[in-house]
């Protein structure tokens, strides 16, 4: 941090918050609020005189509340810049005017209560997100007695207790009697690897952190008795197994089993642990003077970064990389990279490695004279655009700029080409370059040209389902040959009209498939797929078509077997659809006002619109005004499930 602070080409903006990010790769505009410190950090020499006179005492957050600080303080010992700040809310409390003792005491006159927050606008080409992680609060695990017993502490509190810069200056003591404990227990996986309470994932760092702590303690207090309660020790990584063995050799006891109950002796405040030792199969009791809970890692709970940069999260809540193997530090938003525990829990070494990779990736981007954009991107036909802004709402990248009464505009550099905007546009106003609706309709036509009764029209997203089909093929897995694949970049590209069109052309079954919900390669574009297929099912039911004839399935690139199973199941469905049923569907859809907006060829003139209630099927003609129709309600059933059809 010191090096970064001194580097001539790095500007550190401490005590600042990013408020807004706009723009796209190579051209981000970032608005940062530099909060008022009320202390001139250039002049402050950190002499500490102001602290001595400050009358406000508060728990020190950095020391986990194990010591106190004043309202004017340095956030933590190695803070850069090493200058004081005033927490103005604590300083003033209920008083309208500060006491001013610190101002009187400061010889350098660097305290200024008139300082204001400053808004700084930055223009940057790339952004690296390294917002770290939070830690699990073990209070809900009642059996361990955290907060009930003073000598049960978390691993983070333990770190502060043994740190030279901590509240006890590195002297390891119990909180109840301030004596060095003679027996200490560590409980692993607190809040990790549990399907019931806490998190299902492994927090990666806790095992080696405990091994390190045990070695440290043994180094300073050779006679201390240490017992580690664990599920299994994960000592992967360079030199870690050696450390684990060394800790064992130094007398640290490892017991496979987690305490089911902890009780405190009210007189001695020592703790009794009831554990099933799963190695011996016996129920054991252990007594310790202090118990340390190795708490798990949580994704940072601050949700703003995700929204500001259009990032997506994996199921466990950490930021998702663009590709786990090929682009591990890129995010789906071009020009934005991730490093450290923002991506997943990891130790210092891995964080530094990943940060170096992210910096290198950003360096490559910034040093190239040109940025290549995707070939498949969206373009708006301004003549057809009805200025409704629906495309901008569904764009996962914020690549569509829209203002009321203005036609939408696509920022080509920010567009990743998922096509969900084109699927959402009800007016044919968005065209996907090299992947137009007409091309997709032509594919449906050619699939159903001969023996449509025997075919399954299957839409497969490029990154997962199509790759899953490839895996099934290369693995020579046997499955029925009836499915005809139409590759789309994302399942979000599948417009409802494609399915209507296929049914009208005689498809017995239509399959829409994509990546698993949190795995969409276009952030969360496949959430729109779910919404559209839901609406389609309702629509099919309304027109007397069995909704099972439209299937929605998720399949990843590695799931060849799953793909084979999906197609086998879909084929069974297809075989159950009779020619009469197909013919009836064809006729119904041809006779009714089913929203096949595109047919083959584009609408030249905007047609008058028809409103259709997706709940009860009621239809009525309107002159469509997007601004006025936002809150349109069905007059028949009073539902808001209203959709605009182009008549
Ligand atoms: Fe596969 Fe979006 S990329 S569903």
């Amino acid at each position: 941090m010191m090096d970064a602070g001194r580097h001539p080409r790095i500007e550190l903006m401490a005590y600042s918050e990013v408020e807004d990010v706009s723009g796209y790769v190579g051209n981000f505009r970032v608005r940062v609020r530099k909060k008022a410190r009320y202390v001139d950090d250039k002049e402050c020499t950190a002499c500490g005189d102001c602290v001595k006179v400050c009358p406000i005492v508060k728990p020190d957050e950095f020391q986990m509340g194990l010591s106190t600080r004043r309202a004017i303080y340095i956030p933590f010992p190695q803070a850069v810049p090493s200058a004081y700040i005033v927490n103005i809310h604590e300083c003033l409390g209920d008083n309208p005017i500060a006491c001013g003792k610190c101002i009187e005491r400061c010889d350098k006159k660097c305290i200024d209560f008139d300082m204001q927050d400053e808004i700084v606008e930055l223009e940057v080409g790339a952004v690296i997100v390294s917002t770290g992680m939070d830690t699990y609060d073990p209070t809900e695990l009642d059996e361990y007695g955290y907060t009930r017993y003073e000598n049960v502490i978390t691993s983070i509190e333990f770190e502060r207790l043994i740190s030279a810069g901590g509240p006890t200056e590195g002297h390891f003591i119990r909180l109840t009697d301030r004596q060095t404990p003679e027996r200490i227990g560590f409980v692993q996986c607190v809040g990790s690897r549990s399907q019931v309470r806490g998190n299902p994932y492994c927090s990666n760092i806790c095992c080696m952190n405990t091994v390190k702590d045990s070695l440290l303690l043994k180094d300073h207090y050779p006679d201390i008795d240490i017992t580690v309660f664990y599920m299994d020790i994960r000592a992967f990584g360079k030199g870690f197994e050696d450390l684990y063995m060394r800790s064992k050799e130094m007398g640290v006891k490892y017991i496979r089993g987690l305490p089911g109950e902890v009780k405190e002796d009210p007189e001695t405040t020592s703790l009794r642990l009831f554990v099933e030792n799963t190695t011996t199969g016996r129920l054991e009791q252990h007594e310790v003077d202090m118990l340390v809970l190795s708490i798990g890692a949580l994704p940072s709970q601050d949700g703003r970064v995700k929204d500001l940069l259009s990032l997506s999260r994996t199921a466990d809540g950490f930021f998702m990389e663009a590709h786990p193997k090929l682009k591990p530090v890129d995010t789906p938003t071009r020009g934005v990279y991730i490093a450290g525990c923002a991506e997943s829990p990891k130790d210092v070494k891995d964080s530094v490695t990943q940060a170096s990779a992210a910096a290198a990736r950003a360096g490559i981007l910034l040093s190239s004279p040109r940025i290549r954009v995707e070939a498949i991107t969206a373009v708006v036909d301004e003549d057809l655009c009805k200025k409704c802004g629906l495309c901008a709402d569904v764009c996962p990248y914020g690549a569509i700029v829209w203002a009321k009464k203005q036609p939408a505009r696509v920022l080509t550099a920010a567009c990743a080409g998922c096509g969900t905007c084109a699927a959402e546009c009800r007016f044919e106003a968005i065209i996907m370059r090299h992947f137009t609706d007409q091309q997709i309709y032509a594919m449906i036509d050619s699939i159903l040209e001969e023996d449509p009764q025997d075919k399954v029209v299957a839409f497969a997203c490029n990154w997962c389902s199509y790759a899953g089909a490839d895996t099934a093929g290369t693995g020579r897995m046997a499955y029925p040959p009836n499915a005809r694949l139409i590759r789309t970049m994302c399942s979000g590209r599948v417009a409802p009209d494609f399915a209507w069109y296929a049914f009208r052309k005689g498809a017995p079954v239509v399959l829409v498939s994509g990546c698993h919900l949190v795995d969409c390669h276009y952030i969360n574009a496949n959430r729109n797929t779910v919404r559209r297929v839901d609406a389609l099912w309702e629509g099919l039911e309304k027109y007397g078509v069995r909704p099972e004839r439209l299937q929605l399935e998720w399949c990843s690139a590695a799931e060849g077997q799953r793909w084979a199973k999906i197609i086998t199941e879909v084929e069974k469905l297809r075989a159950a659809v009779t020619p009469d049923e197909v013919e009836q569907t064809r006729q119904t859809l041809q006779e009714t006002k089913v929203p096949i907006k595109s047919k083959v060829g584009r609408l030249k003139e905007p047609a008058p619109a028809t409103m259709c209630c997706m709940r009860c099927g009621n239809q009525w003609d309107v002159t469509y005004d997007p601004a006025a129709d936002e809150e349109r309600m069905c007059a028949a059933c009073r539902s808001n499930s209203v959709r605009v059809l182009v008549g």
Side-chain angles (χ1 to χ4, degrees):
M1 192 62 130
M2 294 276 275
D3 285 350
R6 286 194 201 118
H7 198 284
R9 302 199 61 190
I10 298 177
E11 186 189 348
L12 269 187
M13 297 180 77
Y15 203 45
S16 304
E17 251 176 45
V18 175
E19 290 206 326
D20 187 38
V21 182
S22 55
Y24 46 89
V25 55
N27 284 302
F28 290 110
R29 243 189 133 74
V30 184
R31 199 172 74 229
V32 182
R33 177 176 293 272
K34 256 184 121 173
K35 295 189 200 164
R37 302 175 71 98
Y38 304 101
V39 178
D40 185 341
D41 58 353
K42 306 266 181 328
E43 294 297 320
C44 176
T45 55
C47 65
D49 286 349
C50 50
V51 177
K52 292 176 194 149
V53 295
C54 178
I56 310 292
V57 181
K58 291 283 170 187
D60 188 337
E61 303 86 351
F62 181 69
Q63 305 291 6
M64 304 302 294
L66 297 172
S67 65
T68 56
R69 60 164 177 79
R70 303 297 163 132
I72 183 162
Y73 65 107
I74 294 183
F76 55 97
Q78 297 87 11
V80 179
S82 183
Y84 282 84
I85 58 173
V86 178
N87 184 320
I88 201 69
H89 305 295
E90 292 171 356
C91 173
L92 294 177
D94 294 332
N95 306 321
I97 301 172
C99 70
K101 288 182 181 164
C102 52
I103 302 179
E104 282 167 24
R105 191 61 184 266
C106 181
D107 292 339
K108 291 272 216 176
K109 301 287 170 230
C110 41
I111 300 174
D112 174 7
F113 278 93
D114 291 330
M115 258 187 203
Q116 297 290 324
D117 288 0
E118 200 185 326
I119 301 292
V120 182
E121 297 262 356
L122 302 172
E123 282 185 5
V124 298
V127 177
I128 298 176
V129 179
S130 52
T131 43
M133 62 176 197
D134 286 331
T135 49
Y136 176 72
D137 176 1
T139 320
E140 69 166 333
L141 304 179
D142 198 45
E143 63 271 33
Y144 295 143
Y146 180 67
T147 64
R148 218 164 358 113
Y149 307 135
E150 246 183 291
N151 290 325
V152 179
I153 60 172
T154 65
S155 44
I156 305 289
E157 289 162 345
F158 176 83
E159 285 299 326
R160 298 320 310 146
L161 276 182
I162 58 165
S163 165
T168 57
E169 293 172 347
H171 299 295
F172 182 47
I173 55 162
R174 289 212 309 173
L175 297 174
T176 45
D177 55 11
R178 305 190 74 78
Q179 300 296 314
T180 303
E182 289 171 6
R183 300 160 299 177
I184 178 163
F186 287 86
V187 181
Q188 297 306 108
C189 298
V190 176
S192 305
R193 303 179 64 199
S194 165
Q195 301 296 333
V196 189
R197 292 173 301 172
N199 299 300
Y201 54 85
C202 169
S203 290
N204 192 334
I205 42 184
C206 324
C207 285
M208 290 322 295
N209 187 48
T210 295
V211 171
K212 182 264 295 174
D213 286 342
S214 71
L215 286 169
L216 248 167
L217 283 176
K218 279 285 182 191
D219 227 33
H220 287 82
Y221 310 94
D223 295 332
I224 198 166
D225 186 78
I226 305 175
T227 313
V228 178
F229 302 94
Y230 70 99
M231 284 194 221
D232 54 73
I233 293 291
R234 299 191 164 180
F236 59 87
K238 195 174 175 185
F240 288 177
E241 184 67 15
D242 287 350
L243 282 181
Y244 173 44
M245 296 318 286
R246 226 171 78 202
S247 139
K248 276 183 152 178
E249 280 158 18
M250 288 177 89
V252 177
K253 284 176 275 175
Y254 285 84
I255 294 189
R256 206 179 75 183
L258 301 180
E261 194 179 5
V262 177
K263 279 188 179 165
E264 188 188 64
D265 181 331
E267 286 193 1
T268 60
T269 64
S270 63
L271 301 158
R272 186 175 288 273
L273 277 59
F274 300 84
V275 188
E276 186 199 349
N277 185 330
T278 55
T279 311
T280 61
R282 293 219 185 94
L283 205 61
E284 295 177 1
Q285 292 187 23
H286 294 262
E287 217 163 284
V288 296
D289 300 321
M290 181 181 257
L291 188 64
V292 180
L293 307 178
S294 289
I295 48 173
L298 291 183
S300 172
Q301 301 299 297
D302 185 349
R304 281 170 305 166
V305 180
K306 173 183 170 288
D307 297 335
L308 286 175
L309 294 164
S310 305
L311 300 180
S312 54
R313 292 184 189 270
T314 48
D316 51 23
F318 292 92
F319 289 133
M320 187 155 81
E321 63 283 67
H323 191 286
K325 292 174 197 152
L326 304 177
K327 289 184 174 178
V329 296
D330 293 39
T331 67
T333 306
R334 288 189 74 199
V336 179
Y337 305 94
I338 36 174
C341 295
E343 185 258 341
S344 66
K346 55 176 70 69
D347 62 13
V348 176
K349 183 187 161 195
D350 286 354
S351 296
V352 172
T353 310
Q354 202 181 25
S356 309
R361 292 285 294 160
I364 292 169
L365 175 80
L366 298 181
S367 57
S368 19
R370 284 199 195 100
I371 294 172
R372 276 170 190 263
V373 296
E374 296 291 331
I376 300 171
T377 49
V379 208
V380 176
D381 184 330
E382 293 197 359
D383 294 339
L384 297 181
C385 179
K386 290 272 190 272
K387 311 172 181 85
C388 64
L390 284 172
C391 50
D393 287 353
V394 297
C395 176
Y397 297 89
I400 301 185
V401 185
W402 169 80
K404 253 189 179 169
K405 304 210 180 338
Q406 295 289 319
R409 188 165 55 86
V410 177
L411 302 171
T412 308
C415 176
C418 63
T420 196
C421 54
E424 192 72 13
C425 180
R426 292 145 192 192
F427 307 103
E428 285 267 286
I430 296 199
I431 300 144
M432 297 306 296
R433 278 198 191 100
H434 312 297
F435 221 135
T436 61
D437 284 8
Q438 287 69 42
Q439 283 171 293
I440 293 175
Y441 285 120
M443 285 189 246
I444 300 174
D445 279 340
S446 88
I447 288 172
L448 300 172
E449 200 171 5
E450 278 177 31
D451 306 325
Q453 175 69 35
D454 298 337
K455 311 276 177 56
V456 171
V457 177
F459 294 95
C461 91
N462 180 54
W463 302 100
C464 283
S465 309
Y466 198 88
D470 258 354
T471 309
T474 47
R476 302 198 180 272
M477 292 167 200
Y479 60 88
N482 310 53
R484 296 289 184 273
L485 265 58
I486 295 178
R487 175 157 51 170
T488 55
M489 292 313 285
C490 173
S491 64
R493 171 74 178 99
V494 182
D497 298 342
F498 298 160
W500 287 120
Y501 186 75
F503 283 124
R504 206 165 81 165
K505 282 273 173 174
V509 173
V510 173
L511 168 68
V512 178
S513 62
C515 312
H516 289 283
L517 270 183
V518 290
D519 284 347
C520 177
H521 284 56
Y522 300 97
I523 303 181
N524 55 5
N526 59 357
R527 304 237 165 230
N528 295 314
T529 315
V530 178
R531 186 170 51 81
R532 289 180 195 130
V533 170
D534 270 346
L536 270 167
W537 278 328
E538 279 185 42
L540 287 171
E541 218 163 1
K542 187 189 133 212
Y543 288 108
V545 182
R546 282 190 297 129
E548 305 90 85
R549 289 177 57 192
L550 173 70
Q551 289 289 308
L552 175 64
E553 290 288 351
W554 311 119
C555 176
S556 79
E559 293 179 320
Q561 213 133 24
R562 182 173 161 73
W563 180 259
K565 196 166 159 231
I566 291 170
I567 297 299
T568 310
E569 293 300 320
V570 168
E571 167 54 16
K572 279 188 203 155
L573 280 172
R574 186 209 60 79
V577 180
T578 61
D580 288 348
E581 200 178 345
V582 172
E583 190 47 39
Q584 198 180 348
T585 306
R586 272 164 50 90
Q587 278 176 17
T588 313
L589 298 186
Q590 249 147 29
E591 282 164 15
T592 55
K593 282 189 171 183
V594 168
I596 299 171
K597 67 183 178 201
S598 313
K599 302 185 191 134
V600 185
R602 290 188 7 223
L603 290 169
K604 291 287 176 268
E605 293 293 328
T610 300
M611 305 297 286
C612 170
C613 174
M614 296 309 288
R615 189 151 167 245
C616 70
N618 180 31
Q619 289 191 3
W620 64 102
D621 291 335
V622 288
T623 313
Y624 184 61
D625 172 4
D629 284 337
E630 272 164 14
E631 296 296 328
R632 189 78 67 152
M633 187 185 275
C634 171
C637 72
R638 316 294 297 163
S639 132
N640 278 326
S641 325
V642 167
R643 176 191 162 125
V644 184
L645 320 174
V646 176

